[in-house]
Amino acid sequence: MNMSGNSRYIDTEGKIQCAFMELLGKKSLNAVSVSDICTMAHISRPSFYAHYDDINDLIMHIEQEKSSYIASIFVSSDTLTIESFELYLKYILENKLFYKAYFETRNNTKITGAIMEQYANANHLSDSYKLRFHMNFFMAGIRAVVYDWICNPDSASIRTVAELLYRQYLAFMS
């Protein structure tokens, strides 16, 4: 039986994710359907729904896997540096198709909020309402800047965007 955790289940999940990523290279997120994914992955619709509720759920599962690397950048040192933001941006660029789709979804605050919470905890920042407000504001700004940058790749270099985000981070922390 194809149960969560067995090799067949894991193989099907991989096929779904690979098909989704390949489709993102050919179509916009709004044009990708569950049927498209199933056809490309050579699976049935019930197989897709055994793994994910919908395409947004698929995106969130992929992001949860990818966020561990991003979280390691943000919590690996006592303070963030321009180089931290460069690593983040390089990773985003390496996974551009996925992150463009991810930033287009409305449900992308949970993961980035969790990353900021990890950063606040690692750096012993208080959990006040004011801090949470600023963190949400800052993360929304990062998402907006990075989304604009990956949609307009010729607009600025990784270093330029990293410097911009770093300056905003410094302003946020003061």
Side-chain angles (χ1 to χ4, degrees), residues 26-39:
K26 298 174 181 178
K27 300 179 173 191
S28 70
L29 174 63
N30 292 335
V32 175
S33 69
V34 170
S35 293
D36 293 334
I37 294 169
C38 293
T39 299

Side-chain angles (χ1 to χ4, degrees), residues 3-173:
M3 307 265 311
S4 180
N6 75 20
S7 62
R8 196 164 153 210
Y9 185 91
I10 293 167
D11 181 55
T12 300
E13 193 164 284
K15 286 180 182 179
I16 292 168
Q17 290 183 9
C18 287
F20 176 65
M21 296 305 293
E22 189 172 333
L23 286 164
L24 287 178
K26 298 174 181 178
K27 300 179 173 191
S28 70
L29 174 63
N30 292 335
V32 175
S33 69
V34 170
S35 293
D36 293 334
I37 294 169
C38 293
T39 299
M40 185 166 278
H42 304 289
I43 63 166
S44 66
R45 286 179 70 86
S47 290
F48 176 92
Y49 289 113
H51 291 263
Y52 304 103
D53 295 336
D54 54 23
I55 291 176
N56 283 337
D57 187 41
L58 168 61
I59 291 170
M60 294 311 294
H61 276 85
I62 294 171
E63 171 52 16
Q64 286 175 337
E65 293 171 13
K66 292 186 178 299
S67 69
S68 62
Y69 177 76
I70 292 173
S72 73
I73 293 169
F74 287 125
V75 299
S76 64
S77 63
D78 290 336
T79 59
L80 294 180
T81 63
I82 292 171
E83 290 74 23
S84 301
F85 285 104
E86 284 181 316
L87 286 172
Y88 167 70
L89 293 169
K90 284 177 185 174
Y91 186 74
I92 296 293
L93 202 53
E94 289 168 3
N95 296 278
K96 178 182 174 178
L97 292 176
F98 170 75
Y99 278 103
K100 187 173 184 288
Y102 172 69
F103 289 134
E104 288 174 359
T105 66
R106 293 193 180 119
N107 296 330
N108 64 18
T109 58
K110 183 177 181 180
I111 303 299
T112 51
I115 292 168
M116 281 304 291
E117 190 171 320
Q118 285 179 324
Y119 178 77
N121 290 338
N123 291 286
H124 310 291
L125 301 173
S126 67
D127 188 23
S128 69
Y129 175 76
K130 183 178 177 183
L131 175 64
R132 293 190 80 64
F133 176 81
H134 284 285
M135 285 173 35
N136 287 333
F137 187 80
F138 182 67
M139 291 308 295
I142 286 177
R143 284 190 304 276
V145 167
V146 173
Y147 178 71
D148 181 73
W149 177 67
I150 61 175
C151 288
N152 302 292
D154 297 331
S155 62
S157 68
I158 288 174
R159 182 69 179 195
T160 300
V161 177
E163 288 172 349
L164 177 126
L165 293 175
Y166 181 68
R167 282 194 304 273
Q168 294 303 311
Y169 165 73
L170 291 177
F172 164 73
M173 291 306 289

